[in-house]
Amino acid sequence: RLVRVAIVLFVLLVAVPGSLALVGLSDFDISNRPTEQISFAHGDAVLSGSLILPDAQHTGPIALLVHGDGPQDRFAGDGYLPLINALLDRGIGIYSWDKAGVGESTGNWLSQSMNDRANEAVAAYEAIKTAHPDSGQQIGFIGFSQAGWVIPKASPRIDNNAFNVIIGGAINWQDQGAFYTRQRLLAEGFSDAEISERIAESLKRDEATFAPDADYQSYLATTADSNPMSEDRFYFVKRNITSDATADLKRLRAPTLAVFGTEDLNVDARNDAAIYRDLLDGLNPRNEVTLIQDATHGLLRAGLFNYQLAHQMPLDRQILFLMMGQYVYASGVIDHISSWIHQASSEN
């Protein structure tokens, strides 16, 4: 885990002055926070998570953290801890759970559709509402990336959902994939013409690969990929490749904050922010769509931490991430999100 790596690196490298390093590392520690382990059932799975509160008497907002893609545990390998501590410092409780089949949760997240994930999020909401009744009507969602398909489905299914915060939310699965590929190929030095040709070929190939009657064996027989998808991943993509948040966003009634980083390499931030503005306009007076300058897909400082995948971050940047703690986030963005959550919650 990141915390253990941080301690070792700190001792061995002493990369920055000790006081600064300790400040950053403290943002990876929640041992002094009131924490309750809460599990809930969804389908055949039992999901396990942690409810962390600012203090034992907390009666303010609680945000349920909805993960993006991948086999993420409740703290995303400790990578979410600076965000969690930053929100706790600002009076917002957090509940986060291990995805199905990860950590202490049973099941298999790769067997889920976005609709399944939304129903799971609703079940998590009900579990926290039952476990923490003093929160009143102040329970809502915060999520990253793929949560942009999950939260807009989950929110309308809850009568008293207090708020939604969607960070780097994609609109259309295939459009997002094309943008992601374009950014990757640009970084590799391909021309615009070459990139457009490759994306067109990829979309045509996907149409056949994930056709309704296609199966994993036909994929293996035709793919030229030297590292083909696992069978579970193949069916996960096939199940979700037509995902589009447009219709669900139109049905949102709870106050919703959509936040995008201008330097996002995964999602077309400016385009998707414009779509969000159009779809959310007039649905709730607290709705807001914000573009954060010089911020990444996860709202980190783009000049230091802009990578499409976490594992692409080189060792020196990993060390810097650990030493900076919550200061890895773009200037002012956590304050903005926190203030908005408090304001949205107080109106319920």
Side-chain angles (χ1 to χ4, degrees), residues 72-126:
Q72 298 193 56
D73 66 22
R74 68 194 70 184
F75 301 135
D78 291 348
Y80 279 157
L81 291 177
L83 173 67
I84 290 172
N85 267 311
L87 293 172
L88 292 169
D89 288 344
R90 291 160 177 80
I92 298 167
I94 294 288
Y95 178 68
S96 186
W97 64 98
D98 301 333
K99 291 178 76 169
V102 180
E104 298 177 22
S105 293
T106 65
N108 181 2
W109 67 274
L110 283 168
S111 70
Q112 294 180 318
S113 65
M114 294 302 113
N115 192 58
D116 294 329
R117 291 202 62 199
N119 286 332
E120 180 184 286
V122 173
Y125 181 100
E126 294 300 329

Side-chain angles (χ1 to χ4, degrees), residues 9-320:
L9 288 172
F10 174 68
V11 172
L12 293 179
L13 302 177
V14 194
V16 295
S19 59
L20 177 59
L22 291 174
V23 168
L25 290 177
S26 69
D27 286 330
F28 289 88
D29 180 20
I30 57 169
S31 61
N32 64 332
R33 304 285 194 176
T35 302
E36 182 180 356
Q37 307 309 315
I38 296 177
S39 297
F40 63 95
H42 175 247
D44 296 332
V46 176
L47 291 305
S48 179
S50 298
L51 172 63
I52 312 105
L53 301 177
D55 56 70
Q57 290 75 42
H58 181 69
T59 57
I62 296 175
L64 278 59
L65 207 165
V66 180
H67 295 301
D69 195 11
Q72 298 193 56
D73 66 22
R74 68 194 70 184
F75 301 135
D78 291 348
Y80 279 157
L81 291 177
L83 173 67
I84 290 172
N85 267 311
L87 293 172
L88 292 169
D89 288 344
R90 291 160 177 80
I92 298 167
I94 294 288
Y95 178 68
S96 186
W97 64 98
D98 301 333
K99 291 178 76 169
V102 180
E104 298 177 22
S105 293
T106 65
N108 181 2
W109 67 274
L110 283 168
S111 70
Q112 294 180 318
S113 65
M114 294 302 113
N115 192 58
D116 294 329
R117 291 202 62 199
N119 286 332
E120 180 184 286
V122 173
Y125 181 100
E126 294 300 329
I128 299 308
K129 184 177 179 181
T130 299
H132 200 71
D134 290 341
S135 62
Q137 307 303 319
Q138 299 185 70
I139 305 173
F141 294 106
I142 183 169
F144 290 86
S145 194
Q146 199 174 90
W149 291 305
V150 179
I151 292 174
K153 287 182 181 295
S155 180
R157 299 173 189 177
I158 299 169
D159 290 337
N160 297 312
N161 184 36
F163 59 86
N164 303 307
V165 179
I166 301 171
I167 298 169
I171 300 288
N172 179 279
W173 181 292
Q174 290 171 298
D175 289 347
Q176 187 269 332
F179 179 83
Y180 180 97
T181 299
R182 177 172 294 278
Q183 299 308 303
R184 177 176 60 81
L185 294 176
L186 279 172
E188 293 175 7
F190 288 86
S191 69
D192 284 342
E194 290 172 320
I195 292 171
S196 295
E197 182 179 354
R198 285 192 173 219
I199 289 174
E201 291 172 353
S202 177
L203 290 172
K204 185 176 181 180
R205 186 167 58 249
D206 284 350
E207 186 176 352
T209 299
F210 300 108
D213 59 346
D215 60 22
Y216 186 62
Q217 296 308 314
S218 64
Y219 160 69
L220 288 179
T222 57
T223 185
D225 193 342
S226 59
N227 185 29
M229 287 180 282
S230 68
E231 186 170 5
D232 278 353
R233 182 70 190 185
F234 171 84
Y235 285 109
F236 177 78
V237 175
K238 183 179 178 181
R239 193 176 294 115
N240 292 294
I241 196 169
T242 59
S243 294
D244 188 292
T246 304
D248 295 314
L249 288 169
K250 291 178 181 178
R251 289 191 285 267
L252 278 178
R253 293 300 177 266
T256 299
L257 171 65
V259 190
F260 297 88
T262 58
E263 307 310 307
D264 195 323
L265 298 177
N266 297 48
V267 166
D268 190 345
R270 289 177 174 81
N271 177 75
D272 287 5
I275 294 173
Y276 262 82
R277 286 193 184 96
D278 181 58
L279 296 176
L280 296 182
D281 183 49
L283 297 182
N284 189 293
R286 290 299 314 165
N287 285 352
E288 181 182 323
V289 181
T290 302
L291 274 167
I292 304 298
Q293 295 298 314
D294 303 319
T296 72
H297 184 54
L299 303 182
L300 306 181
R301 296 175 186 268
L304 298 173
F305 303 109
N306 208 6
Y307 304 92
Q308 286 188 313
L309 298 170
H311 70 75
Q312 295 172 341
M313 191 181 295
L315 181 59
D316 63 330
R317 295 308 166 101
Q318 294 179 46
I319 295 170
L320 188 60

